[in-house]
Amino acid sequence: MPLTAVPEVLRADDLHVRARLAESARITDGVATTSEQFEKWFAERRAAQLHEVTRIPFAQLRNWSFAQDTGNLVHDSGRFFSVAGLKTEVDDGPVRQWCQPIIVQPEIGLLGIAVREIDGVLHLLMQAKAEPGNPNGVQLSPTVQATKSNYTGVHRGRQVAYVEHFARAEPGRVVADVLQSEHGAWFYRKRNRNMIIEVGPDVEAGEDFCWLTLGQVHEQLRIDHRVNMDARTVLSCLPFFSTEDRALHTSTEILSWITSNQAVHDVQTTVVGLRNLPGWRQSDWAISHERGIFFSVTAVDVVANSREVGGWTQPLIEPHGVGVIALLVKRLDGVLHALLRARIEPGYIDAIELAPTVQGTPENHAHLPGPLYQQLVDFGRRRQQGRVLFDAEMSEEGGRFYHSRSRYTVVEVGDDYPDEEPPGSRWITLPQITWLLQHRHYLNVQARSLIACLRGGADNAVA
Amino acid sequence: MPLTAVPEVLRADDLHVRARLAESARITDGVATTSEQFEKWFAERRAAQLHEVTRIPFAQLRNWSFAQDTGNLVHDSGRFFSVAGLKTEVDDGPVRQWCQPIIVQPEIGLLGIAVREIDGVLHLLMQAKAEPGNPNGVQLSPTVQATKSNYTGVHRGRQVAYVEHFARAEPGRVVADVLQSEHGAWFYRKRNRNMIIEVGPDVEAGEDFCWLTLGQVHEQLRIDHRVNMDARTVLSCLPFFSTEDRALHTSTEILSWITSNQAVHDVQTTVVGLRNLPGWRQSDWAISHERGIFFSVTAVDVVANSREVGGWTQPLIEPHGVGVIALLVKRLDGVLHALLRARIEPGYIDAIELAPTVQGTPENHAHLPGPLYQQLVDFGRRRQQGRVLFDAEMSEEGGRFYHSRSRYTVVEVGDDYPDEEPPGSRWITLPQITWLLQHRHYLNVQARSLIACLRGGADNAVA
């Protein structure tokens, strides 16, 4: 049996794909699709995919109800997802014990982007897709975005397009394939399979789909609420090319620091019933925190003309306030490093994941004297003084979250910013982050979004 | 801030340490300790650490009892570990649903080996340590083997020796540091931190400790029940050097295959009470399966003269039968590949981990017509025809398992063995395995043991 020549066996990547992706990132004026064609297509899809979303009281949910024993919000089929309660005890931070509603969805969803060479340039097959929770209807989404239920037919609707290419991908055509977590503050141990595969010339773009170069996708990323969370996380897992081999820490040191954080923090979580959750109030229309902060569990009625099923009702999580999700980057000895923070969230499998430098919603923390609030305050100042490499407002998964809004920002700080790492954080280079992203659960979903934005929004800074 | 030169930034290792480890592996006749000195020391420690272990009925356990509500076997302090019940539903194999007792121990233990240069050669600080479940009392163990309870003082005994070197390791002195799982059939989501650190000349070997070269440790591995499980798993995480860069599969393909297995298999586990577990019978002395197979939960009284505390009682798991844990390796185009199998065990965090080619206890599977039994039968034949590179009987963790015995075997098969991979398995090279072992939960504890044995027992085959 002849062996594949694998000069990069230890790096788990393909230099050839990396070079072709770098080439695609440089092209922003279109090969398969001009910018003008794209804008026309996107406006048409937006008009064609009308979602009429109405807030309803829980009693008007169809096929969803509160379970008699636990009070959990569940679907009659026992599938999709449920909203339960979670009790968390941690050994760090200003609040050591709390209860909250949490989305429980043990299935591993598939988020996939197909890439294909057109006229010698790699193109990504992007989808225009409406979700009921999106503040603006249609967003640019991955080729495939499917729960296991979706593609095993629980929906009783149409088959998810292109899913067969991912289910039957030839090993040699896989560019990336890795499990990554979702929001650990809102989901209990939810993971998605992030997959990028290369397809052949026989695969064409359907009505809701469009071939874009990586450079074109990067341009879209800079537009508020244009590229959805699912697309951002898949983009972050792309193998990126860099010749930079210097770093403040060796990779063994980075791994050891991560392991240490996972090993020493005690995070005890217990899934409990949603009924009578301490600190939370349930009305006919919402389950909300007694202070009115964090988020509410609500319900909506959706009428759609473009979905697998024409209309449905479902619960959604409605975050309050506008999140601040920011990465500080700095050149250390000329090499760009990002300041990532080990962050505890109750829904993580491994106690901590690496999060952006700043991640929080000011309203949620204003009453707490903790370091997180201090970071939010400090970030306002850094933003003024530094060079803003990326700045856009984006939303989270519109299938679960109602009008969630966060400001994603990357700021390059100057020499006045201390080299010393604040407690629980490390300066990590982009090649090291790319290497970590080949493996599951090292970077949280907010950090992954920012990495996709940093690569896309600041090519010059990263190159 | 000057950067460390990190030519191997993407490989997360240190070529210099690798070369020094390779040098240490070549030396088997002793530098700090001659073989004669070692044997004398080991015999003395064995005589000095007397454990008198007596089976007792559960009613004679001190500080352990069955909880009123669940029937779980728990310690009065709520710490150490407990024995609960686990209900598992899987979508693969001849048995799709079962209940069993399971050890629940959410804390992450520390398994650490200190290495130090003596006369220019790296030495490992190995410990002679008795455990109540060991079939032969003292085994060669890591420098430090500690539960979190151990080193935070729940034992109310002496401090665990050398633990401070691991707790306060300088980042640059860390050789490996990674979370790895334990037996997924017996533990629920148990992980240990596997750590190797380099210490300075000020660190000396105490009475129960001995400096050995890696070559000497490898010689000990070949002796039945000599090197304990904790040492084997830490040894497996050592960064090993290889210039071989050819492989049947690229590393992206390997990762994608692992992700695919983790994503598609449905493994639903529910921790339930130990009382009235279907299929299991509880007597005054044991909780056993109604067929008398798998394992029993039992209790022992231990009188020791060398432990942090002089005497105690505790539950132990007593596996039945002798396990067969075997790796088939084959040269494909001249390059050694090991056949690893994606294996479902209920205690894994991620549904599957990579297991040896064959892993099972014939008695447990004789009544089942599944593929596992076929593999056990087939292995007997392969063993006759192939070249046995490693073969020894070893035990699992003696702090939890009573007289567990498994035959660990590595067999190199010839050209008559098909290159084609059986369903759910892949040929993976040693450098690829070393690379996977830098990250958590890819290889199960049995596969890790075999990798340590393969490197140690078959240097010529691996080089």
Side-chain angles (χ1 to χ4, degrees), chain A residues 77-129:
Chain A
S77 68
R79 300 189 72 165
F80 301 115
F81 65 94
S82 63
V83 183
L86 190 74
K87 183 182 168 188
T88 304
E89 292 167 274
V90 298
D91 62 351
D92 202 15
V95 179
R96 303 292 172 100
Q97 192 269 323
W98 72 90
C99 289
Q100 65 167 85
I102 195 103
I103 306 174
V104 177
Q105 188 178 6
E107 281 188 350
I108 294 176
L110 170 68
L111 305 177
I113 294 181
V115 300
R116 180 191 141 190
E117 203 167 278
I118 301 176
D119 290 341
V121 178
L122 276 188
H123 283 69
L124 289 72
L125 187 57
M126 302 303 290
Q127 182 182 182
K129 185 174 171 67

Side-chain angles (χ1 to χ4, degrees), chain B residues 122-191:
Chain B
L122 276 187
H123 283 69
L124 289 73
L125 187 57
M126 302 304 290
Q127 182 182 181
K129 185 173 170 68
E131 292 284 5
N134 286 351
N136 57 343
V138 169
Q139 296 192 0
L140 212 52
S141 308
T143 316
V144 168
Q145 187 175 312
T147 61
K148 225 182 206 172
S149 329
N150 264 148
Y151 58 82
T152 54
V154 179
H155 258 289
R156 304 177 195 288
R158 300 199 305 272
Q159 165 101 354
V160 174
Y162 302 104
V163 75
E164 70 277 12
H165 296 284
F166 294 85
R168 295 195 305 260
E170 282 174 45
R173 309 304 291 272
V174 175
V175 178
D177 188 1
V178 58
L179 297 187
Q180 298 291 5
S181 65
E182 284 206 25
H183 304 76
W186 300 331
F187 278 107
Y188 190 63
R189 301 188 173 175
K190 169 92 178 103
R191 284 95 57 74

Side-chain angles (χ1 to χ4, degrees), chain B residues 7-22:
Chain B
E8 294 297 320
V9 60
L10 289 170
R11 289 174 51 175
D13 55 50
D14 179 341
L15 279 187
H16 184 53
V17 163
R18 290 185 177 222
R20 290 158 75 214
L21 283 167

